[in-house]
Amino acid sequence: MPRLKPYWPILPALVIYSFLADHLNFTQDDAYISYRYVANFLNGDGLVYNIGERVEGITNFGWTIYLALWGALGLDFILISKLTGFLLGAGVIVLVFLIAREVFEKRAGWFAAAATLLVSVNQSLAYWSPAGLETAAFAFLAMLSLYLYLRRNWLLIFSLVLAVWVRPEGAFLAGLLMLIEAVEQKSLPRFTLQCTGAALALSLPFVVFKLAYYGSIFPNPFYAKTSFTGDQLSNGLEYAGRFFQHYGFWGVGFALPLAFHKRLSAEDRAVWMFAVVYTAYIVLVGGDVLKVHRFFLPVFGPSAILLLLSLWLLVRKLKKNSRYLVLFLVTLGLVGATYSLPKAFVDKYLVHEREFTKKMQVKAQQLLDADSSDFSVAVATIGIFGYELLGHELIDLVGLTDSTIARHSEDPIPGMV
């Protein structure tokens, strides 16, 4: 038990997170795309969305396989997805605590506790973790990879392998850590290069399977969503701007450490580069069509740590009693603002998502009740609607599960919003 004493500050954060996750609990419509792949696989029809069409319409291959394994054991894979997401969301908080201890060293206890509190009241983490998607799993692996990098632990190899399996951004994550080491060492990033090379070797069977089964390394949504246009950049800036407004405190934690760059440790600089470059990546890919800051889950922890680091750099020269009083009061205000600033935004989307999935489920059931034939449907939202229509062909007008639409889309119609 004495060994666990330094970790007691995590407990209040986990309690707060659990309460919020229960309050915000819902199943996101897009999760049902993976569920349909799992259901078809378990029914013996292959790892496909439409029977007979080998199209990788998911960006979470490893997550889908994980659910299929539980389903093969006769367990409710939808429940498993939500429970696993909830637990890995809690794991993100634990990893934020551990990374904060690496950054703040002698001051670790107080600042690590403050960082976990900031992340625990982050409603977007609690919103996405039990929503059925792979979001919390990837955020956990991203934080784990950063922590293992800071510790120079060779388990980073396996963390990167799992990250690539869970989402394609795992490859970007490996490149980001190599960049951080190269800048920090001002030389060849030997550690991360070796880890990435080993992870690539271990991922070769995964790549070979995708090529043989789907005919492509990249998932089909990559072609459906990627455009690299001015509109995409504008969307990315808007998406990031909302993050800075709700959780980033208008970029203070990103910008202020630059003014004190000579005082930053190697760990400080690594966390700063991770947060800044990852945010730049989110902007370049145009953000996310699913709101509530989903893509920023891997940045929440580093952002909170940088905010507290900035606060420390500002007050470190005050007298001890005054310093800790200011730290306490400002941190209390930051925790309150982190909860209150995005609350109306999160609540609005929560209501919309719950009502939308309910509506689409009812529509699918009405079709089944009205038509007993083997009908097909063209629809722009294929989540729970498609899951309810297992065995029926769905033409995805967005192109996520349709390679023709994704790779040969028509030009936008002028004047159409």
Side-chain angles (χ1 to χ4, degrees):
M1 291 300 292
R3 288 186 176 183
L4 297 177
K5 188 176 180 181
Y7 301 98
W8 70 264
I10 300 176
L11 294 178
L14 292 178
V15 170
I16 294 170
Y17 160 77
S18 300
F19 174 80
L20 287 176
D22 179 65
H23 172 67
L24 299 171
N25 181 31
F26 80 110
T27 305
Q28 214 285 325
D29 186 65
D30 279 19
Y32 288 93
I33 300 176
S34 295
Y35 298 159
R36 176 158 159 145
Y37 271 83
V38 173
N40 281 335
F41 177 78
L42 295 176
N43 290 335
D45 296 315
L47 203 60
V48 296
Y49 187 82
N50 285 320
I51 297 172
E53 297 179 5
R54 291 190 178 184
V55 179
E56 187 187 4
I58 48 175
T59 53
N60 55 7
F61 182 87
W63 179 253
T64 302
I65 294 297
Y66 168 77
L67 299 182
L69 292 174
W70 286 105
L73 296 174
L75 298 176
D76 184 345
F77 57 83
I78 294 180
L79 178 62
I80 292 292
S81 73
K82 294 174 67 62
L83 179 60
T84 303
F86 167 77
L87 293 174
L88 291 177
V92 168
I93 294 174
V94 174
L95 285 167
V96 169
F97 180 84
L98 295 175
I99 293 171
R101 284 167 60 90
E102 294 293 319
V103 168
F104 291 106
E105 297 177 338
K106 294 179 181 179
R107 306 179 300 275
W110 191 91
F111 283 98
T116 58
L117 279 177
L118 276 175
V119 178
S120 72
V121 298
N122 187 307
Q123 292 169 88
S124 296
L125 176 66
Y127 179 96
W128 286 114
S129 293
L133 288 167
E134 77 292 343
T135 311
F138 184 76
F140 174 83
L141 290 169
M143 289 293 90
L144 179 60
S145 297
L146 177 59
Y147 176 68
L148 293 174
Y149 166 76
L150 294 175
R151 301 281 295 180
R152 296 301 193 274
N153 190 313
W154 291 100
L155 289 175
L156 176 61
I157 296 170
F158 303 101
S159 177
L160 291 176
V161 169
L162 291 174
V164 170
W165 273 60
V166 169
R167 279 195 68 84
E169 285 92 335
F172 166 76
L173 182 63
L176 172 54
L177 293 177
M178 282 194 287
L179 175 64
I180 292 171
E181 185 182 6
V183 172
E184 185 59 37
Q185 301 294 330
K186 297 182 176 62
S187 63
L188 193 69
R190 297 183 183 277
F191 172 68
T192 49
L193 197 58
Q194 292 177 73
C195 288
T196 300
L200 177 61
L202 291 173
S203 299
L204 283 178
F206 166 58
V207 175
V208 170
F209 172 83
K210 290 183 67 171
L211 278 172
Y213 196 82
Y214 294 118
S216 174
I217 296 176
F218 295 106
N220 198 59
F222 169 81
Y223 300 99
K225 293 183 177 182
T226 306
S227 60
F228 300 111
T229 63
D231 287 342
Q232 179 171 304
L233 182 61
S234 176
N235 291 338
L237 289 170
E238 180 184 354
Y239 188 79
R242 191 174 290 112
F243 160 74
F244 283 116
Q245 178 187 350
H246 287 164
Y247 297 119
F249 295 94
W250 297 274
V252 170
F254 285 53
L256 197 57
L258 288 175
F260 300 91
H261 67 277
K262 292 183 179 180
R263 296 182 177 274
L264 300 182
S265 67
E267 291 78 12
D268 298 340
R269 288 191 290 269
V271 172
W272 182 84
M273 281 193 65
F274 184 95
V276 170
V277 177
Y278 202 104
T279 299
Y281 164 78
I282 293 172
V283 172
L284 288 175
V285 300
D288 185 24
V289 294
L290 301 179
K291 305 306 177 184
V292 197
H293 315 291
R294 181 171 71 120
F295 279 3
F296 275 103
L297 257 69
V299 181
F300 290 153
S303 176
I305 291 170
L306 289 172
L307 194 62
L308 292 168
L309 177 63
S310 300
L311 179 58
W312 169 254
L313 292 170
L314 288 173
V315 305
R316 71 189 190 285
K317 291 186 178 180
L318 295 177
K319 292 182 180 180
K320 185 176 181 181
N321 289 340
S322 300
R323 183 169 67 229
Y324 282 102
L325 178 61
V326 171
L327 286 172
F328 174 77
L329 292 176
V330 174
T331 301
L332 199 63
L334 291 175
V335 170
T338 298
Y339 175 79
S340 61
L341 286 175
K343 190 175 187 310
F345 180 80
V346 175
D347 287 345
K348 180 184 76 172
Y349 274 94
L350 178 65
V351 171
H352 288 176
E353 288 289 350
R354 285 174 173 171
E355 293 302 317
F356 178 79
T357 52
K358 186 187 299 181
K359 178 184 74 173
M360 297 304 289
Q361 185 177 33
V362 169
K363 288 295 181 184
Q365 288 298 326
Q366 287 175 339
L367 283 178
L368 291 173
D369 292 340
D371 190 343
S372 60
S373 69
D374 185 23
F375 60 84
S376 60
V377 186
V379 65
T381 306
I382 60 170
I384 194 169
F385 189 84
Y387 184 73
E388 293 292 330
L389 296 175
L390 284 173
H392 292 266
E393 179 189 18
L394 262 74
I395 301 170
D396 176 21
L397 297 175
V398 178
L400 300 181
T401 61
D402 190 296
S403 58
T404 301
I405 294 174
R407 304 186 194 198
H408 307 282
S409 59
E410 296 178 346
D411 293 333
I413 299 173
M416 186 173 184
V417 179

